[in-house]
C-alpha cells in the first residue's frame, strides 16, 4: 500500500504480501535461533573445555553488538 495516495484501501494483495512477510520473518527468527544453537555445538566440539566459556562469551558479545547495530539502523534512525 502506498502511503502517498490518500483514500487507498488495503486489498487482498496487500494482506497476502503482509502474510508472506510475516511467515518469512518467523522462519528467519527460527533459523537464527537454530544457527545460534549450532554454533554453540561447534564451540563445544572445536575448543577445549577450558576455552569454551571464553569463546561463548565472544560469540555472545558479537551477537549482542550485531543486534544493537541492527536495532539502531532500522528503528532509532527513522
Amino acid at each position: 500500500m502506498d502511503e502517498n495516495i490518500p483514500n487507498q484501501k488495503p486489498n487482498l494483495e496487500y494482506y497476502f504480501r503482509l502474510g508472506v512477510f510475516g511467515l518469512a520473518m518467523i522462519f528467519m527468527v527460527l533459523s537464527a535461533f537454530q544457527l545460534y544453537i549450532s554454533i554453540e555445538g561447534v564451540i563445544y566440539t572445536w575448543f577445549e573445555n577450558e576455552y569454551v566459556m571464553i569463546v561463548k562469551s565472544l560469540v555472545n558479545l558479537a551477537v549482542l553488538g550485531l543486534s544493537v547495530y541492527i536495532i539502531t539502523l532500522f528503528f532509532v534512525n527513522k
Side-chain angles (χ1 to χ4, degrees):
M1 186 166 82
D2 190 11
E3 287 102 16
N4 296 333
I5 302 172
N7 301 331
Q8 182 181 9
K9 294 183 180 180
N11 56 9
L12 187 60
E13 181 183 357
Y14 171 75
Y15 290 122
F16 177 75
R17 288 178 184 249
L18 191 63
V20 169
F21 177 75
L23 283 173
M25 291 300 292
I26 289 171
F27 287 141
M28 185 184 72
V29 167
L30 290 174
S31 178
F33 186 68
Q34 284 294 110
L35 177 66
Y36 187 76
I37 291 172
S38 298
I39 288 174
E40 284 193 355
V42 167
I43 289 171
Y44 280 112
T45 301
W46 285 358
F47 295 97
E48 298 291 328
N49 285 338
E50 57 195 34
Y51 300 116
V52 166
M53 293 309 289
I54 296 170
V55 175
K56 280 182 65 174
S57 298
L58 292 174
V59 169
N60 288 335
L61 185 64
V63 168
L64 179 66
L66 183 65
S67 300
V68 168
Y69 174 73
I70 289 172
I71 288 170
T72 56
L73 184 68
F74 287 108
F75 296 112
V76 174
N77 291 337
K78 288 191 177 193

